[in-house]
Amino acid sequence: MSGIAIVIILLSMGSGWLFRKLLLRVLQEKHPEEFAALGQPTSKQLDSLSPRLQELHLKFWRYLWGGKVFQVKDRLVASLAVGALLADAALIIGVAIFLWFVGTMPPQ
């Protein structure tokens, strides 16, 4: 069962990355004012763990998880945002399943 959890984790990480990359591209092309307000992040910047990009990360995550992305009134943007949110939720669920199964395994 832990193998299934690992597959869920990997698929949700990949799909979340793809949804966020597409969301950034659509915002950049169709809604440049929203993109500029976010600080014009790139997917490489959001993938980075650099401390100097922490504020950019927080701004994007607040934008996505705070629901501001849905105020754009664009169906494509909303669909990509929902996909990104669902991928993040699947990642959390996958990690929880993995930890639960690893924690319930008998010691060998």
Side-chain angles (χ1 to χ4, degrees):
M1 198 63 172
S2 61
I4 293 171
I6 291 172
V7 170
I8 291 171
I9 292 168
L10 292 174
L11 288 174
S12 62
M13 287 173 64
S15 62
W17 174 84
L18 181 63
F19 280 120
R20 284 187 293 278
K21 183 173 178 75
L22 292 172
L23 177 61
L24 287 174
R25 182 177 293 167
V26 170
L27 285 174
Q28 183 179 16
E29 292 174 2
K30 289 187 171 184
H31 305 282
E33 67 285 345
E34 289 287 323
F35 188 69
L38 283 173
Q40 300 178 336
T42 65
S43 59
K44 285 185 180 182
Q45 288 174 326
L46 292 179
D47 291 342
S48 172
L49 297 176
S50 173
R52 64 184 177 93
L53 296 173
Q54 183 178 9
E55 187 60 38
L56 187 67
H57 286 221
L58 290 174
K59 188 181 279 190
F60 178 76
W61 292 115
R62 284 185 194 129
Y63 181 74
L64 182 62
W65 280 92
K68 291 180 184 177
V69 69
F70 298 108
Q71 295 173 357
V72 176
K73 304 292 187 218
D74 184 337
R75 207 174 264 192
L76 179 58
V77 169
S79 299
L80 292 171
V82 167
L85 292 171
L86 288 175
D88 290 345
L91 176 62
I92 293 167
I93 291 169
V95 169
I97 291 170
F98 179 76
L99 292 175
W100 185 69
F101 277 108
V102 169
T104 60
M105 290 177 62
Q108 293 184 6

